[in-house]
Amino acid sequence: MINLGEKVIYQIYPKSFYDSDGDGLGDLQGIIAKIPYIAKLNVDMIWFNPFFVSPQNDNGYDIADYYQIDERFGTTADFEQLVAELKKINVGVMLDMVFNHCSTQHEWFQKALAGNKKYQHYFYLRPAKVAGSLPNNWQSKFGGPAWSRFGQSELYYLHLYDPTQADLDWHNPDVRAEASKIVNFWRKKGVQGFRFDVINVIGKDHELVDSLNPIQEKTLYTDTPVVHQYLKELNQNSFGQDKEIITVGEMSSTSIANSIEYTRPQEHELSMVFTFHHLKVDYKNGQKWSNMPFDFMKLKSLLTSWQLNMDRGNGWNALFWNNHDQPWALSRFGDTGKYRIKSAQMLATALHCLRGTPFIYQGEELGMINPDYKSISDYVDVESLNAYKELLRQGKTPQAAFNLIKGKSRDNSRVPMHWDASATAGFTNGTPWLQPTNQAEINVNAELDHGEIFNYYQKLIALRKNYRLISQGHFIPLLEDNHAVFAYARCLADSSEKVFVFNNFYGTDTIVKLPTMCTKQKGKILLSNYPNNLDKLPQELHLRPYESLVWCTL
């Protein structure tokens, strides 16, 4: 049985990693060229965002062919070479499977449009209501109605996301069989992991009723009981046939109870889940396109609740601050100026010492921050551009709307990887598809030469590999009422040893009174982002700005 607690996974956004041919887009040969850098990371697996054939209306999450590599990124031979080269350094490959929807350019949808009844049953096609209005009042997550006209017919098709992303009808056993077939195809290519995009919204009802309000609307298609049935079937018919494969489901607006069931080994569904509650603590009134300081107490409460309850239920978390859909965590929860290094190290410590499997997003190990764009024309993300128009319609001034996009756009983390300090950040010899802006200070060359963040990540990865307390231990919250410090302990049922982790989330000194369980035993510092020589924890612990301290009892 694979030990998920010892694994660390790195996420590569291929379009932005490294461009080998000067067209401004990252590609598979670019990733191969950077394998010496990947080897330095000491990770176990790489999750690659989709590089399948796609019109790229949603950066590859609108797949037109699940079996072919998009020529923008390379060829099947390039992919096979990538898998082989990564295997030489003991790094596995995790592919992104987008099974809730496919591109309207996919042959399934095109055959459906041409009148093929078999393929029409692959999608949610519904007539207008008697009064002529849309089949229901659901809204797309990218803005606007979730229905578009199905060609020249009197029918409409459902798209929870962009109109070019048609939702697949999982009630149809042929659709479920297609999903298993795709997974098995890539397994034969040597793929050892699968990440399933928004997989908990595949369980829509046959009858797609109107919602009462936006909050209730999500319950009509999210985490419905049939999702578990579908995942068990997919597991049995594909990846579950190999006990070494790692799977992770992206779970939109999910619950702890469902996430336990998705990941509890005896359920035979998934290895772990991505959940996003902790990344919404700077959403004013639950709205993404808003501006407010993050709610630290809410963040701490959410992390604690998920840690405790997933542990008790024998579920498993994927741990992450950053990905391709989020602005940089350092720009949200840290300090991008004076304490950029310390706060990057603190955020990494707070996360990597938790129970779960850590994911590192490309550039996070450099301390990358949001780009300093000056105009809405600098952005390309469909969600951001739609949101900007909607904010203007709501009465926001162009500057106010732009500021909200600047803070929360998905393009923030999609900027090209910073390899050096040049104008294109060493990403391309051409014109990058998205402009880098902070590369003069933050880049791979500088970080490997004299930086402090990359090496700190290496120490965190080593702790997870070497300490069973961290890879397998239970979670105990500490200092729950403290308004500046996120602290916790890790312990094992068969050992009296404990690891204590203290993280100051602010740029000011703070003193915390420690519980007796922390101070009564001698121990040693496993890791700190400040000089420390303690051989025993004091009753009152002084934490400097963004200080992290990992302490193990002897």
Side-chain angles (χ1 to χ4, degrees), residues 20-67:
S20 70
D21 59 10
D23 66 354
L25 300 174
D27 47 55
L28 298 188
Q29 282 297 330
I31 298 167
I32 292 168
K34 294 299 184 180
I35 282 183
Y37 176 75
I38 292 170
K40 289 185 174 71
L41 292 167
N42 291 321
V43 297
D44 300 281
M45 180 171 278
I46 296 176
W47 156 31
F48 294 97
N49 293 92
F51 39 61
F52 309 110
V53 172
S54 166
Q56 295 289 322
N57 290 315
D58 187 25
N59 279 286
Y61 282 87
D62 47 327
I63 295 175
D65 188 335
Y66 290 92
Y67 297 99

Side-chain angles (χ1 to χ4, degrees), residues 346-362:
M346 182 278 294
L347 288 170
T349 308
L351 187 96
H352 279 251
C353 293
L354 291 172
R355 179 181 180 273
T357 299
F359 282 67
I360 302 167
Y361 180 68
Q362 63 179 51

Side-chain angles (χ1 to χ4, degrees), residues 223-234:
D223 274 348
T224 58
V226 74
V227 175
H228 297 286
Q229 176 186 321
Y230 292 156
L231 286 175
K232 285 177 171 65
E233 181 182 315
L234 182 63

Side-chain angles (χ1 to χ4, degrees), residues 122-310:
Y122 274 40
F123 303 96
Y124 288 95
L125 303 182
R126 299 290 188 272
K129 291 180 180 176
V130 176
S133 58
L134 295 173
N136 70 22
N137 64 349
W138 293 5
Q139 293 294 297
S140 162
K141 292 174 183 289
F142 287 172
W147 295 92
S148 291
R149 182 66 69 92
F150 182 63
Q152 300 303 311
S153 74
E154 297 301 313
L155 299 175
Y156 292 83
Y157 68 93
L158 177 68
H159 54 85
L160 287 182
Y161 298 88
D162 190 73
T164 63
Q165 294 168 298
D167 279 51
L168 291 161
D169 187 349
W170 275 66
H171 295 288
N172 184 344
D174 289 342
V175 168
R176 303 198 300 275
E178 295 277 13
S180 294
K181 181 182 173 185
I182 293 163
V183 170
N184 288 331
F185 174 86
W186 291 106
R187 282 176 58 208
K188 289 177 182 177
K189 294 282 187 186
V191 174
Q192 296 175 290
F194 295 93
R195 181 262 191 189
F196 296 100
D197 185 62
V198 293
I199 197 66
N200 66 326
V201 302
I202 60 174
K204 306 165 194 78
D205 199 355
H206 280 291
E207 185 179 356
L208 306 176
V209 300
D210 278 344
S211 64
L212 300 176
N213 56 63
I215 295 175
Q216 183 262 349
E217 183 171 302
K218 291 180 181 179
T219 67
L220 299 175
Y221 56 74
T222 304
D223 274 348
T224 58
V226 74
V227 175
H228 297 286
Q229 176 186 321
Y230 292 156
L231 286 175
K232 285 177 171 65
E233 181 182 315
L234 182 63
N235 179 309
Q236 182 179 2
N237 293 334
S238 61
F239 59 81
Q241 297 166 13
D242 183 346
K243 300 304 179 188
E244 296 301 305
I245 281 183
I246 296 174
T247 55
V248 55
E250 181 194 30
M251 300 299 170
S252 172
S253 303
T254 191
S255 67
I256 292 175
N258 274 295
S259 293
I260 289 170
E261 189 172 348
Y262 290 134
T263 60
R264 192 163 47 202
Q266 56 266 41
E267 299 295 339
H268 301 288
E269 295 187 20
L270 300 170
S271 306
M272 66 188 91
V273 290
F274 282 123
T275 63
F276 299 90
H277 303 73
H278 67 297
L279 294 179
K280 297 179 180 179
V281 296
D282 56 355
Y283 287 18
K284 190 173 183 179
N285 299 321
Q287 298 300 309
K288 172 177 179 174
W289 304 108
S290 59
N291 182 22
M292 64 170 272
F294 77 99
D295 185 336
F296 172 69
M297 294 305 286
K298 185 176 181 182
L299 174 66
K300 186 159 79 164
S301 174
L302 283 166
L303 291 173
T304 297
S305 179
W306 277 85
Q307 282 286 300
L308 283 173
N309 289 294
M310 290 290 275

